[in-house]
Amino acid sequence: SAVISQKPSRDICQRGTSLTIQCQVDSQVTMMFWYRQQPGQSLTLIATANQGSEATYESGFVIDKFPISRPNLTFSTLTVSNMSPEDSSIYLCSVEDGTRGYTFGSGTRLTVV
Amino acid sequence: AQSVTQLDSQVPVFEEAPVELRCNYSSSVSVYLFWYVQYPNQGLQLLLKYLSGSTLVKGINGFEAEFNKSQTSFHLRKPSVHISDTAEYFCAVSERGYQKVTFGTGTKLQVIP
């Protein structure tokens, strides 16, 4: 299965600022997924990122708040913009490994103060 | 639309005792089903998945799950748990033909020495 390197692993940010999270995959993948896991809760899909096209956002998530880049088949970034304490969560990227198994990055633990 | 219900938010069990973590899903079409484990401060790891074929699926770390279409369930079982199994377990569903994965709210398994 694919190996995902996600950076940073954690960060503490001031409200009003932005943080960009990076995911690097060791193989080419068509689709990458970005999830949010709020404290004590399950994973919620933010968006699906295809290379060469705009990301598809789930209900409740908008591009202005969570812009995504997908410049090639092994890399993607998620930016959390104009942060507030409510954005404090774990953010995870994921890819489908070709056998309907989904591999996850180790996550970015974000605290907004 | 697909959905997943994990009936138990927390399950305490003594070491070496059997455990069952319950999962029910809802979907109007055929589905793929997954169980993931999340150890403290780590990302998600795939335990097992049901795609087709035998309804009894064996996974890693001695876990298994049984797909029951009539009851729309995919319960996770282990005959004898270890302290190292203490973690949060997520059931997930994906409709065939779609990449989106929907996660349940998670069950925290606490193994008591």
Side-chain angles (χ1 to χ4, degrees), chain B residues 3-113:
Chain B
S3 66
V4 179
T5 301
Q6 291 184 246
L7 297 168
D8 305 303
S9 59
Q10 296 190 48
V11 173
V13 61
F14 286 102
E15 192 174 16
E16 298 183 5
V19 69
E20 177 180 84
L21 306 184
R22 296 180 293 169
C23 172
N24 288 88
Y25 70 93
S26 174
S27 175
S28 58
V29 300
S30 297
V31 298
Y32 302 120
L33 294 157
F34 311 86
W35 276 99
Y36 283 86
V37 60
Q38 186 175 37
Y39 298 102
N41 299 313
Q42 295 188 29
L44 275 77
Q45 180 181 8
L46 180 66
L47 273 179
L48 48 80
K49 61 186 176 184
Y50 170 77
L51 304 182
S52 64
S54 172
T55 57
L56 182 62
V57 181
K58 294 190 182 296
I60 62 172
N61 301 340
F63 285 93
E64 64 180 31
E66 186 158 19
F67 170 55
N68 188 319
K69 187 175 181 179
S70 62
Q71 297 186 8
T72 60
S73 68
F74 191 55
H75 301 331
L76 181 70
R77 303 185 183 98
K78 186 170 182 177
S80 175
V81 296
H82 302 287
I83 294 290
S84 59
D85 293 324
T86 295
E88 189 158 19
Y89 294 79
F90 292 93
C91 182
V93 63
S94 175
E95 292 181 342
R96 295 185 184 224
Y98 294 91
Q99 290 281 350
K100 179 179 177 179
V101 180
T102 299
F103 286 82
T105 51
T107 298
K108 291 183 178 177
L109 175 62
Q110 182 183 6
V111 180
I112 304 165

Side-chain angles (χ1 to χ4, degrees), chain A residues 78-91:
Chain A
L78 170 77
T79 299
V80 186
S81 304
N82 188 25
M83 290 184 285
S84 67
E86 291 71 34
D87 295 319
S88 297
S89 294
I90 299 172
Y91 293 85

